Structure formats: structure tokens, C-alpha cells
Amino acid sequence: MLDISSQLLAEITESYRQGCTATMNIPAGSGDLFSEKLEALMAKRLPLQEQLLLRRYSNARSQGMVAARHRQLTTATQLFEEARKPLQMATLSRESKLLHQSFLEQSAAYLDYCHQDFDQVYSRTEEALSLSAILEEEYGYDILLMQRIQLLHNLVRTEARRLNFTGAIALAAQLLAYLDGQLQTLPTPHPWGFERIARQPPEFVSVMFAQITGEVALILAGQDRKQAANLLTIAADYLQLPVHSEKSRYPRSYAWFSIKQAFVEQDITTFLTQAAQFLVQGRADTPLLWYTIINDLLALCNEQGWLDFRQEIVQDSLSWNDLPHKLILMRS
């Protein structure tokens, strides 16, 4: 057991308590912002009749996604089949068909994911990536770059589901490096140049950066220290982590990386000091990062015998409705 000063323990405890009561100020999700921008662009480019038709069948696709998430897979399959009907309509423009199919392939890939048909996930994702690239290049849908980022984000989850954590972390780190201007391209045969990111609304990029960091956080939460350290080393091959995270455009994400690094290296003093600075701010707009730090803090409580503090956290967590199921299992 390490000799952790009572003052440091008191500081992390107080920071945690303040963070628990801090107001959650979560902005509109990137999905909502994206949909608003895309619908506005479609309203300018497409005839009203085509917009209404796409909206009708997009509803079927959305219902299919809901069914798939609830593991109503037969219903989801039927809804996705219904959603494919516009692709056979001779009266629908190529532009409208490309738009509809790009999102339909993305959604159908999730159904394949539920069936653990990972080869088909990759096949549909590649199709969606290609369609989105055409829409960007030929029709001026610059915003669909964010869809392509999301598609690769989905592949991070797919690789994690396949237990290929090395591949998942490598892809996630490349995505983060690209979003932060450290990489000019990504590992797919499609146009990526960083100038495309520069044309995106900054709030889109910021939310996506936090979401992908959260994906990394969830993957590492299930690893022991040695494996987590190895995976962080892979991430560092692509992502240059600044020493002073407050100078970054994404300070909370980079602060999380620093805190996690201290934890896996068992630099407990640094971990507690930096975690206190992070936790006191509350969940803010990165609740997943906050929760995974709490997860590591619970592990430290077990190691140090801080049973009262551990019990306090576990009791508080019963009211955290957005706590991921994976972390619920880890708190027991």
C-alpha cells in the first residue's frame, strides 16, 4: 500500500463531492446539430417532393435503428427493407438516392453489428464512405465529412467488439489526430485533407473529439494496467499528447489522457492531483470521461483500503442514469 497523504485523500474526496453537485451543461448533441445543418442544405438543393419522400422513408430507417438497439432484429430487418424502396424509384434524383443510401447503409451496418456479421459491417461501411465522398465531391455536401468520421468511429466500436483492442485504439487515435490537425489523412481510400476539417463547424469537431476520446476511455476501462499502458503507447504513436492540456482546443480530452497515463504508470500522486482538478469541474460536456476516472478511482480505493470513500462513490453512482452499463458492472 502506497503512503498517500491524508491531505491528498481529503482533496480528491472534496473535489469528487463538488463535481457530483456541479451542474451538467451538456450542449445539443452533434447528431442534432448535424441533422439541422443537413436538412437546411437539402431544403436548398432538393425539390420539396423529394424532401418529403426522403423524410418518409428516413423515418422507416430511424425506426429500424430503434428496433435494432432494442434487439428486435426481425422488425429492424423489415423496416430497413421498407426504407430501401426509394432506391428503386425512377423519379428520384441521383443526388437524393445517394443521400438516402449513404445513411441507410450506415444504419444497416448496425444491424449487421448486432448479428456479429463483422465482414458485412465493413462492406456496408465502405459503401457508405464511398457514397458520402461522392456527395462531398460532386454535390457540395461538405458536412458529410462528419458522417465519414462517424462511420470510422463505428469501426472503432466494431474492432473493440471483436476484441481487437489494438486495432480499435490505433484507429481511434488516428481519428483524434486527424481532427486535431496532426494527420492529413486516414486509413481508407477516400479524400481526407485537413482543409475539409477546417470547413466544419467547430462545435461539430469538438463534440466528435470528445465522443471518440470517450470510446477510448471505455475500451481502456476494461483492461488491466499493463494492457492499458500498452494501448496508450499505441495511441501515442499517432497522437502527440501536449504536456499542458489547457493549451489544447480539447483540454478535457487531453487532460483525461494525462490522468489515465498516470494511473496505468501507478504515479498515484499525479493521478490524484490531476483527477481532483478534473472531477471538481463535474461531468460537464464529457460525462463518459468523468465516469471512467471515477472507475479508476474506485480501483485505487480498493488497493488503498479507502472503503468509506469507495462506498460513498458506489452509493452516489446509483443515481447516475447515464452511467454506461460496462462501468456499472465494474463498480461492484
Side-chain angles (χ1 to χ4, degrees), residues 245-258:
S245 60
E246 67 274 8
K247 295 181 180 179
S248 165
R249 288 173 291 178
Y250 315 107
R252 283 179 69 83
S253 290
Y254 279 116
W256 179 87
F257 273 106
S258 181

Side-chain angles (χ1 to χ4, degrees), residues 8-17 272 275-276 279 297 309:
L8 200 52
L9 176 56
E11 288 175 359
I12 190 69
T13 302
E14 181 58 25
S15 293
Y16 161 76
R17 290 171 178 168
L272 289 173
L279 295 178
L297 185 57
F309 187 27

Side-chain angles (χ1 to χ4, degrees), residues 63-81 107-117 161:
Q63 292 169 15
M65 279 294 292
V66 172
R69 289 192 181 104
H70 287 88
R71 294 304 186 265
Q72 299 167 355
L73 304 187
T74 300
T75 299
T77 299
Q78 294 169 346
L79 286 164
F80 287 144
E81 288 175 355
S107 298
Y110 180 71
L111 182 59
D112 297 326
Y113 175 89
C114 294
H115 284 299
Q116 299 189 53
D117 187 349
R161 179 74 175 273

Side-chain angles (χ1 to χ4, degrees), residues 2-12 269 272 304 306:
L2 297 176
D3 180 20
I4 305 298
S5 72
S6 57
Q7 180 181 354
L8 200 52
L9 176 56
E11 288 175 359
I12 190 69
T269 297
L272 289 173
Q304 296 296 313
W306 300 335

